[in-house]
Amino acid sequence: MQQEGFFITVEGVEGAGKSTNIKVIEEFLSEKNIDYVVTREPGGTLLAEKIRDLLLSHHEEEMEVTTELLLIFAARAQHLNTTIKPKLAEGKWVLCDRFTDATYAYQGAGRGCDSQLIGQLESLVQGSLRPDLTVVFDLDPRIGLARASQRGQLDRIESQNLEFFQRVRQAYQNIASRESARFCVIDSSKTRENVSVILRDALQDKIKEYLNEQ
Ligand code: Z5A
């Protein structure tokens, strides 16, 4: 195995229910007596959270796509080396709200960044480290945006048009079908209660070998 702990990432379009269901995953892990930490990207450390503010706020000057991409990987380098890797090395499970699949989806499919360039940065920053399990909450972006819009003003990335989020959704679906062993795709159009039941069943199935359960 690449590390002692277990690395779970959570993905989806805007408003797909990541934050809501991270709580469900936390409950599940607690019931299994698993020692875990929750974190997020971009962010997760003091410095990386400053980069997050820079990425999400509106600026007088338009941010270049390459600038956005490099800032995301700069935040990721800080987060990985000061938080994710040390926690995994201690044997803790790390539950991270978004990770590099988001970069392929948002900067790659959404903004049109070259996926080979993203792959080079991924190798540079992460080496061989990849998530052990990625849960994607799949939802029509029209529903996700409607759910999320109830929160008020949109940040810089949330302000993209519907086509942008449709490309993001499609990219997640494509990555998940290419790497089906790592992924668990949850239909997030169902009620919160239904999503929670489906998610718990999927988690049980995906991680039972790590729990020594049937
Ligand atoms: N980003 C990037 O571009 N590249 C990268 O590499 C990375 C990130 C790592 C911040 O992410 C931005 O960073 C993000 C991508 C970019 N920008 N966008 N868009 P974030 O994860 O912090 O922010 P977010 O995507 O905007 O998350 P979110 O809007 O908070 O969505 P969510 O966590 O998936 O949804 P939620 O808060 O759980 O649910 C939204 C609402 O729907 C809420 O009122 C819930 O009560 C409700 N909800 C949830 N589930 C249901 C169901 N089943 N039915 C009905 N209503 C529901």
Side-chain angles (χ1 to χ4, degrees):
M1 209 162 74
Q2 63 195 4
Q3 71 268 322
E4 301 281 318
F6 193 85
F7 186 23
I8 303 177
T9 58
V10 179
E11 301 280 358
V13 292
E14 174 72 9
K18 292 178 293 89
S19 312
T20 306
N21 289 295
I22 280 175
K23 295 193 183 75
V24 175
I25 302 176
E26 286 193 72
E27 272 169 29
F28 178 88
L29 297 178
S30 298
E31 285 163 20
K32 304 285 180 192
N33 292 318
I34 290 170
D35 197 1
Y36 68 89
V37 292
V38 184
T39 186
R40 69 172 182 181
E41 290 220 344
T45 80
L46 288 175
L47 193 52
E49 288 288 330
K50 288 187 180 173
I51 300 176
R52 178 189 176 94
D53 287 344
L54 202 52
L55 279 161
L56 299 190
S57 44
H58 294 275
H59 304 281
E60 288 165 10
E61 180 182 335
E62 197 167 319
M63 189 180 290
E64 281 295 310
V65 177
T66 312
T67 310
E68 181 175 296
L69 180 65
L70 292 173
L71 283 173
I72 283 169
F73 273 105
R76 184 161 298 141
Q78 186 69 18
H79 187 210
L80 264 176
N81 290 309
T82 66
T83 305
I84 297 178
K85 284 185 186 170
K87 294 294 176 196
L88 290 171
E90 284 170 27
K92 289 192 171 30
W93 288 40
V94 175
L95 176 56
C96 189
D97 187 346
R98 296 197 186 279
F99 194 62
T100 307
D101 295 306
T103 315
Y104 283 104
Y106 282 80
Q107 282 63 50
R111 299 263 198 237
C113 280
D114 179 5
S115 61
Q116 282 192 350
L117 172 61
I118 299 175
Q120 286 167 353
L121 292 168
E122 181 180 31
S123 301
L124 175 77
V125 168
Q126 295 168 221
S128 62
L129 191 142
R130 299 289 180 277
D132 295 297
L133 171 65
T134 299
V135 182
V136 178
F137 293 96
D138 180 56
L139 186 66
D140 183 332
R142 278 172 295 203
I143 305 174
L145 289 168
R147 286 183 187 171
S149 66
Q150 291 163 7
R151 276 187 315 221
Q153 218 194 350
L154 300 177
D155 68 37
R156 198 178 61 83
I157 296 180
E158 288 170 338
S159 307
Q160 302 306 305
N161 60 26
L162 181 62
E163 289 70 34
F164 175 94
F165 290 106
Q166 282 165 336
R167 290 197 298 279
V168 169
R169 180 194 194 189
Q170 185 64 53
Y172 278 131
Q173 291 174 343
N174 293 346
I175 306 169
S177 67
R178 267 201 320 270
E179 296 183 45
S180 57
R182 170 165 70 92
F183 274 84
C184 171
V185 180
I186 306 287
D187 177 358
S188 204
S189 66
K190 301 187 184 307
T191 64
R192 286 182 188 79
E193 294 70 26
N194 280 344
V195 170
S196 158
V197 170
I198 296 167
L199 172 60
R200 290 177 65 93
D201 285 349
L203 286 173
Q204 181 67 36
D205 188 48
K206 282 277 185 190
I207 65 181
K208 65 181 175 215
E209 64 200 85
Y210 294 90
L211 301 172
N212 294 320
E213 290 179 2
Q214 292 307 307

